[in-house]
Amino acid sequence: MRLRRGKKIPFSGPISVLFPAYSWYEGVGYAPYGKQARLNPIYLAENELFAMSLFSKAEWKAGLLGCFEVSLFMREGVARFDDRPGSAIKSFLIPLILAPLLLAVLVGFSSGFSFTYLLGLHSARVAITSALFLAVVYYMTRQCGRETHFMRFVTVNNWMTIPSTLFLLPVVACLLMGLDASAYETYAMFITIVGYVYTAFIIAGCFRLPWEMGGFIAIMGLAIDQHGLELTRHIHGLMG
């Protein structure tokens, strides 16, 4: 992804799979051009209250503790998440609520394109690449006879949007301050590598597979995301 004057933001790879909120705005050049994105506090508060009302206190406690333990590479964290289809479906509310928060901030730094265009383009990319990645995970784990744990994987993956958002806050702060991409390039490389490792760990932990298989599936997810990113760049170039 390129900024004006040839600069790059070095974000790509498995972080787009593990961190769905980030995928919404990855791949487009960002540069300050005027007004910053404004967040409606009433809208955000209503979304947070809506999410809290759908999850019980026990679910919040187990989910947040599970995220913390998974972040420390503790297998106990994976086991805290439910494997029921209803829990997996409900867990999609977490990335859906967190994604607009970061998207609204970073779209304000986009140059030359409307909010509707950016939102539509990257929403479509994330939806397609995420669906393909989940399909690949299901297919690969079914070949190993482990597909019964798929719903738990979906739940864990969605809940991990919370720590992923925390990882990205320093990048958001740098963008808000108008810092050059080189100021956070090392950190960006760090969270990209962490994305690889976390994805492999979650797959290995949920499906009780060797680390090698978890890493292989994570790399397949990376390939899907990279092809989606290239397609987005191509469309971006045609529109530009």
Side-chain angles (χ1 to χ4, degrees):
M1 94 190 72
R2 292 187 176 275
L3 290 170
R4 289 182 295 183
R5 300 176 184 173
K7 296 181 180 179
K8 292 184 179 180
I9 297 180
F11 301 141
S12 62
I15 196 169
S16 301
V17 177
L18 180 60
F19 302 157
Y22 180 67
S23 299
W24 285 59
Y25 52 81
E26 184 196 36
V28 166
Y30 293 102
Y33 76 100
K35 296 182 179 179
Q36 298 180 358
R38 296 181 180 179
L39 300 178
N40 187 328
I42 297 178
Y43 169 79
L44 294 176
E46 288 177 348
N47 275 348
E48 291 173 1
L49 291 174
F50 176 68
M52 292 181 67
S53 66
L54 290 178
F55 294 96
S56 66
K57 290 183 178 180
E59 288 175 320
W60 277 112
K61 181 179 179 181
L64 294 176
L65 183 57
C67 288
F68 177 73
E69 291 176 339
V70 170
S71 299
L72 298 178
F73 298 101
M74 298 172 62
R75 286 186 176 269
E76 294 85 351
V78 173
R80 293 185 184 278
F81 293 94
D82 202 344
D83 60 356
R84 294 178 298 177
S87 298
I89 294 173
K90 188 165 61 172
S91 68
F92 280 102
L93 286 171
I94 297 174
L96 286 176
I97 290 173
L98 290 177
L101 177 65
L102 293 177
L103 182 66
V105 173
L106 294 182
V107 164
F109 288 85
S110 300
S111 57
F113 293 92
S114 67
F115 175 85
T116 303
Y117 164 76
L118 293 172
L119 181 62
L121 181 62
H122 292 285
S123 295
R125 180 175 73 88
V126 171
I128 294 171
T129 56
S130 297
L132 287 174
F133 173 65
L134 291 178
V136 167
V137 171
Y138 182 80
Y139 174 79
M140 294 297 296
T141 54
R142 186 175 182 180
Q143 302 306 306
C144 302
R146 305 284 182 165
E147 72 275 9
T148 55
H149 305 286
F150 181 73
M151 292 302 172
R152 174 173 278 126
F153 167 76
V154 173
T155 304
V156 176
N157 194 55
N158 287 333
W159 274 89
M160 284 299 291
T161 307
I162 296 175
S164 75
T165 302
L166 297 179
F167 281 135
L168 288 171
L169 288 180
V171 177
V172 175
C174 290
L175 290 170
L176 288 172
M177 292 185 292
L179 299 180
D180 187 81
S182 59
Y184 49 88
E185 188 175 75
T186 302
Y187 179 73
M189 292 297 297
F190 166 73
I191 59 178
T192 300
I193 295 173
V194 168
Y196 278 107
V197 179
Y198 274 140
T199 304
F201 174 76
I202 292 172
I203 293 173
C206 287
F207 298 103
R208 302 172 187 174
L209 294 171
W211 264 91
E212 294 83 358
M213 179 59 74
F216 176 71
I217 297 175
I219 292 174
M220 293 180 69
L222 167 63
I224 292 172
D225 186 73
Q226 285 299 301
H227 280 85
L229 181 58
E230 289 300 323
L231 179 60
T232 302
R233 286 174 175 170
H234 180 68
I235 296 174
H236 187 66
L238 293 176
M239 296 296 294

